[in-house]
Amino acid sequence: MMYDRLEEIAATEQEFSERFTHTVNVCMAAGCMSSQSGTIKEALDKEVERNGLERWCRVRGTGCMGLCAAGPLVAVNPETPEETLYQHVKVEDVPDIVTALEADPVQPVERLVCPTNTPFFQRQKKIVLENSGSIDPERIEEYIAADGYAGLMKAITEMSPAEVIDEIVASGLRGRGGGGYPTGLKWTTVAKADDDVKYVICNADEGDPGAFMDRSVLESDPHRVLEGMAIAGYAIGASQGYIYVRGEYPLAVARLKTAIRQARRMNMLGSGIGGSQFAFHVDIRLGAGAFVCGEETALIASIEGKRGMPRPRPPYPAEYGLWGRPTLINNVETLSSIAPIIRNGGDWYAQLGTATSKGTKVFALAGNINNTGLIEVPMGTSLREIIYEIGGGISDNGRCKAIQTGGPSGGCIPEMYLDTPVDYESLSALGSIMGSGGMIVMDETASMVDVARYFMEFCMTESCGRCVPCRVGTVHMYNLLDKFSRHEATPQDLVLLEKLCDMVRNTSLCGLGQTAPNPVLSTLRYFREEYLECIQPNGHIALDPARSQVIHYRPGGQPNGDPSPDYEPIVEVAQ
């Protein structure tokens, strides 16, 4: 199948769409489906049929429309002058929605209208999410009509593997899984590996609390991921790919299976793709929900049928990966960025973002924020714009206290840094990380000690146990944080907590342990007074302004900032 066949399918799909005067899209992603959007779609189908409108009104399920806080969402006549988005739709609203379609012109049901001229919709730049909410994820024809698989066809018919990699390098795309490693450099390394057998793995093991970016992409636009994997396979010389996805994502898994079957039928996967000599096969491997399997070597072990535990690196997967072969591992968002880069060119993508962080980033907004949901913004957008403009501000007219980025591996950024641009270097300088894209907003009622304890408990329970620093250190840190939460901590506990953070960060085997202290360190850095307030009355801790050191005093002391022989310090810790 070449370009002409794709164009034929796209034209047929366009003709089919034009048969209908009205199109009604119902969000069928997991968030809205949990609010009974499936029942709403069924009711719409029945109401359209009952009114005899099925010949000119089409009802279809689509992927995530983004504004999860307003779900279930229903879009009427999208991408037309009559476009209307309905929010918080219930089954009993269906007759009114269908009746409104019979008016000429269409009269929106005002009580349900969700304004779309707001920053949430206007300030986004969608590349990864460009098809989410606008196509049926279970129909490959709709994906092809939206330029689907055009990037793959261009790559295998007009470009050499080296030229494909050159475009990825020129784009400046960095891995969206958290580390930010240059994608083009990783592809180059695997392509240069001297081996006849290579693999491509899509890391869809999204386990961060509050993160749902990868799940939504897989549910809303699975063919985009498959196309990115196939392009990657062509570029590095691989003929087999695996999608490692969490078993807790049944809807994403079901749609991936459907997409793989359709792509094989359309000759977009399998042998002789598009009539070329290139072959690429994709299989799914289900994970059991272990957070550590987001780490590359643990993920590989799990696919191989072993216990998901990391191993020392080097050698890196690019040299010695799945079954000892060179392996390229990218996450869902990274692979979803590939097709538009090939279609439009690396320079086009590099125009977006900052000097060192190119393109766009998908974030899952959660917590004490009005517009919870999925967004995509150019790199370099400030936290303030994301939270107060796109996110609609703090819920219940509260005040932002901190933003937690990067999941359990990230840190808590205080309100004073809201004007920080969101890019890899800026977040790292604040003691956090980009991570995969989870962004949890906290208001002034949040206890930062409890936040640190929550994430430490998560890391403690998710530790694979292979290395002692992570297996034992996270337990001790959690126990200390629990003492702070119960206001039973001592000055010595604070000293020990900081020492444990340093030890676990610098001696753990993999990224889980190495970054587990980040929430603790960031809350100690910016909200230290909350820890001090949790120290029991029989011990005191104060700051010596002359030496910028924390001085712990023996019980009974009355520190006043002026050290004297009456106050005997028991330990000093540099700030």
Side-chain angles (χ1 to χ4, degrees):
M1 180 188 300
M2 296 298 181
Y3 278 122
D4 54 351
R5 179 60 178 145
L6 288 180
E7 292 174 355
E8 180 183 337
I9 293 172
T12 301
E13 183 63 28
Q14 183 65 30
E15 291 176 6
F16 175 74
S17 298
E18 291 174 354
R19 287 172 43 193
F20 300 97
T21 305
H22 300 296
T23 297
V24 179
N25 290 347
V26 182
C27 176
M28 296 290 284
C32 282
M33 288 194 70
S34 68
S35 300
Q36 306 305 312
S37 67
T39 304
I40 292 169
K41 182 181 180 300
E42 291 177 4
L44 282 165
D45 285 328
K46 292 179 180 179
E47 188 69 16
V48 166
E49 183 178 359
R50 189 177 71 84
N51 289 8
L53 308 177
E54 63 270 20
R55 293 185 62 184
W56 55 276
C57 180
R58 175 175 61 161
V59 179
R60 63 178 181 174
T62 66
C64 180
M65 297 182 185
L67 189 56
C68 301
L73 293 168
V74 174
V76 175
N77 296 328
E79 300 179 7
T80 70
E82 294 182 334
E83 179 177 6
T84 303
L85 182 64
Y86 292 134
Q87 61 184 338
H88 303 301
V89 177
K90 300 181 178 63
V91 172
E92 49 266 34
D93 298 320
V94 167
D96 290 342
I97 293 174
V98 175
T99 299
L101 295 175
E102 298 184 82
D104 188 17
V106 174
Q107 300 296 322
V109 184
E110 293 296 338
R111 72 177 186 278
L112 300 175
V113 172
C114 177
T116 56
N117 59 347
T118 61
F120 182 88
F121 296 99
Q122 300 298 319
R123 297 287 182 86
Q124 295 192 51
K125 174 64 177 178
K126 293 190 176 182
I127 295 178
V128 172
L129 302 179
E130 64 180 341
N131 294 329
S132 296
S134 61
I135 67 171
D136 184 343
E138 298 189 17
R139 293 191 70 242
I140 190 174
E141 295 83 2
E142 292 194 21
Y143 180 69
I144 291 174
D147 291 330
Y149 290 109
L152 174 60
M153 286 295 99
K154 179 180 178 180
I156 65 176
T157 61
E158 300 179 13
M159 305 170 71
S160 68
E163 289 172 334
V164 172
I165 295 177
D166 287 343
E167 289 295 338
I168 303 303
V169 172
S171 73
L173 176 66
R174 295 171 65 174
R176 298 300 195 245
Y181 191 80
T183 304
L185 181 57
K186 180 182 283 190
W187 286 28
T188 300
T189 303
V190 182
K192 290 181 177 179
D194 186 16
D195 202 313
D196 294 334
V197 178
K198 300 177 184 179
Y199 297 103
V200 175
I201 296 178
C202 172
N203 183 352
D205 190 61
E206 180 180 58
D208 296 8
F212 48 91
M213 304 78 57
D214 292 353
R215 186 197 71 193
S216 292
V217 172
L218 293 173
E219 292 172 351
S220 305
D221 200 8
H223 286 285
R224 172 63 69 84
V225 180
L226 298 179
E227 184 176 8
M229 292 182 69
I231 294 172
Y234 174 73
I236 68 166
S239 60
Q240 177 66 52
Y242 292 96
I243 302 177
Y244 186 84
V245 60
R246 301 176 74 82
E248 295 94 333
Y249 288 175
L251 183 59
V253 172
R255 289 182 178 169
L256 272 173
K257 289 180 177 179
T258 298
I260 291 172
R261 287 196 301 269
Q262 292 175 344
R264 287 172 179 166
R265 187 179 70 245
M266 289 285 191
N267 197 214
M268 291 292 102
L269 288 179
S271 301
I273 292 177
S276 70
Q277 297 299 312
F278 174 57
F280 191 76
H281 306 268
V282 175
D283 292 308
I284 297 174
R285 292 292 182 268
L286 298 183
F291 181 68
V292 73
C293 285
E295 196 276 338
E296 292 183 341
T297 58
L299 183 153
I300 288 172
S302 181
I303 292 178
E304 292 175 342
K306 304 171 186 175
R307 181 179 177 184
M309 300 176 72
R311 61 165 172 78
R313 300 182 298 175
Y316 292 93
E319 303 166 341
Y320 186 90
L322 187 63
W323 292 299
R325 305 288 192 168
T327 303
L328 173 68
I329 305 178
N330 286 132
N331 86 323
V332 170
E333 185 180 344
T334 307
L335 291 167
S336 296
S337 302
I338 300 303
I341 290 175
I342 297 302
R343 288 200 314 264
N344 301 297
D347 292 339
W348 164 81
Y349 191 82
Q351 293 175 359
L352 299 168
T354 68
T356 57
S357 300
K358 304 293 187 181
T360 60
K361 182 72 187 78
V362 178
F363 290 101
L365 298 183
N368 302 118
I369 190 168
N370 287 316
N371 295 338
T372 55
L374 205 65
I375 67 169
E376 184 174 3
V377 296
M379 287 281 197
T381 304
S382 71
L383 286 168
R384 186 178 301 279
E385 182 175 352
I386 291 174
I387 303 304
Y388 281 99
E389 297 186 36
I390 297 173
I394 309 304
S395 55
D396 299 323
N397 294 315
R399 178 180 177 181
C400 177
K401 182 175 183 178
I403 303 100
Q404 207 278 342
T405 67
S409 302
C412 298
I413 302 170
E415 188 240 3
M416 71 177 74
Y417 293 111
L418 281 180
D419 292 316
T420 300
V422 175
D423 59 58
Y424 292 100
E425 288 73 23
S426 297
L427 293 181
S428 178
L430 294 178
S432 189
I433 62 173
M434 181 81 68
S436 58
M439 189 173 287
I440 301 174
V441 181
M442 292 167 277
D443 64 15
E444 66 274 7
T445 64
S447 164
M448 304 315 294
V449 173
D450 288 344
V451 169
R453 182 185 63 167
Y454 167 78
F455 284 110
M456 187 54 63
E457 181 180 19
F458 180 88
C459 292
M460 175 185 71
T461 56
E462 292 293 338
S463 173
C464 73
R466 180 162 190 170
C467 71
V468 172
C470 181
R471 182 180 73 236
V472 178
T474 53
V475 174
H476 284 297
M477 285 194 288
Y478 171 76
N479 290 335
L480 289 171
L481 290 166
D482 191 53
K483 289 181 67 176
F484 278 95
S485 293
R486 291 184 281 109
H487 290 258
E488 297 176 0
T490 66
Q492 293 90 338
D493 289 330
L494 184 57
V495 177
L496 180 57
L497 179 62
E498 291 180 309
K499 288 183 176 180
L500 282 171
C501 285
D502 182 69
M503 181 275 296
V504 172
R505 180 174 60 177
N506 290 299
T507 61
S508 292
L509 174 62
C510 81
L512 191 155
Q514 293 164 7
T515 59
N518 284 352
V520 181
L521 292 169
S522 62
T523 51
L524 280 169
R525 178 178 177 182
Y526 299 117
F527 303 97
R528 195 177 189 88
E529 68 280 359
E530 295 194 23
Y531 286 85
L532 302 184
E533 292 170 0
C534 295
I535 292 178
Q536 59 187 1
N538 66 342
H540 300 278
I541 186 168
L543 180 66
D544 177 358
R547 293 177 294 173
S548 294
Q549 292 177 328
V550 173
I551 298 182
H552 304 264
Y553 295 87
R554 292 191 184 281
Q558 299 295 321
N560 57 13
D562 182 16
S564 69
D566 297 329
Y567 307 122
E568 180 184 359
I570 57 176
V571 67
E572 298 181 359
V573 181
Q575 262 308 55

